[in-house]
Amino acid sequence: MQRRPILFGLLVALVVLVADQASKSVVLAWSASWGAAIKPVAPFVDFAALWNYGISYGLFPQGETGRWVLVAIKVAAAILFAIWLARARSRFEAFALGLLIGGAIGNAVDRVVYGAVFDFVSLHAFGYRWYVFNLADVAVVVGVAMLLYDAFLGGASKSPPSAVPMSPRSGAEREP
């Protein structure tokens, strides 16, 4: 039996968590010196220090009770993903689940420490702006995309054909 890649997935989660929290700390400290709400960093990327008190995209801002409900949801999601990770059969699946676990915990840490999630990356092009996000958000989106790929496209190419060819049932096996 192939060794389950749980340690690999947990390592990915730890790397995502550390990178997310480090990037948020650096940008948060740096944002105090900007002198403006937005700091251009490339032709299509700005940094914008924003606090997300809601769910995705800042929707449904939460009060103090909602803050802790969102923390509980993220922790529960991380636990469920960890259970799934314990059953993962491939490094691909473990990587995707590690991204989800690290991203969920990264944003949960923000809610516990600051009361909101710190978002700072703002993409824009041709007069259009995307929502402001952070590294944990990227990890979650990539993790979900990888799991969807694996479920709909990856798994089909990995599963062996059936060992027993399909044969018509005998007359006795048919229902009346």
Side-chain angles (χ1 to χ4, degrees):
M1 180 172 153
Q2 181 183 3
R3 184 172 173 234
R4 291 192 179 143
I6 186 170
L7 292 177
F8 178 67
L10 291 175
L11 178 62
V12 169
L14 180 63
V15 168
V16 168
L17 175 61
V18 169
D20 173 64
Q21 290 300 301
S23 66
K24 289 173 181 173
S25 294
V26 168
V27 174
L28 187 56
W30 181 40
S31 69
S33 68
W34 291 350
I38 295 176
K39 177 72 171 174
V41 292
F44 56 89
V45 179
D46 295 335
F47 281 175
L50 295 175
W51 292 101
N52 182 351
Y53 294 93
I55 303 175
S56 295
Y57 312 108
L59 298 173
F60 312 112
Q62 306 297 306
E64 193 62 19
T65 302
R67 166 189 177 188
W68 294 108
V69 168
L70 291 175
V71 168
I73 290 170
K74 290 184 183 295
V75 169
I79 291 169
L80 291 173
F81 290 136
I83 291 168
W84 185 353
L85 175 60
R87 299 168 185 225
R89 296 174 193 234
S90 70
R91 288 176 64 92
F92 186 87
E93 185 180 14
F95 187 84
L97 291 165
L99 291 174
L100 289 171
I101 293 166
I105 293 172
N107 281 340
V109 166
D110 281 14
R111 288 202 189 275
V112 169
V113 173
Y114 303 112
V117 174
F118 183 63
D119 291 327
F120 60 91
V121 180
S122 175
L123 300 178
H124 56 88
F126 310 110
Y128 296 99
R129 290 196 169 271
W130 193 246
Y131 68 98
V132 181
F133 57 93
N134 60 46
L135 189 59
D137 298 335
V138 173
V140 168
V141 169
V142 171
V144 167
M146 288 177 70
L147 289 175
L148 288 172
Y149 170 83
D150 195 43
F152 292 110
L153 301 174
S157 64
K158 291 186 282 188
S159 44
S162 174
V164 179
M166 294 180 64
S167 61
R169 295 189 296 184
S170 69
E173 293 176 337
R174 291 187 190 140
E175 294 181 39

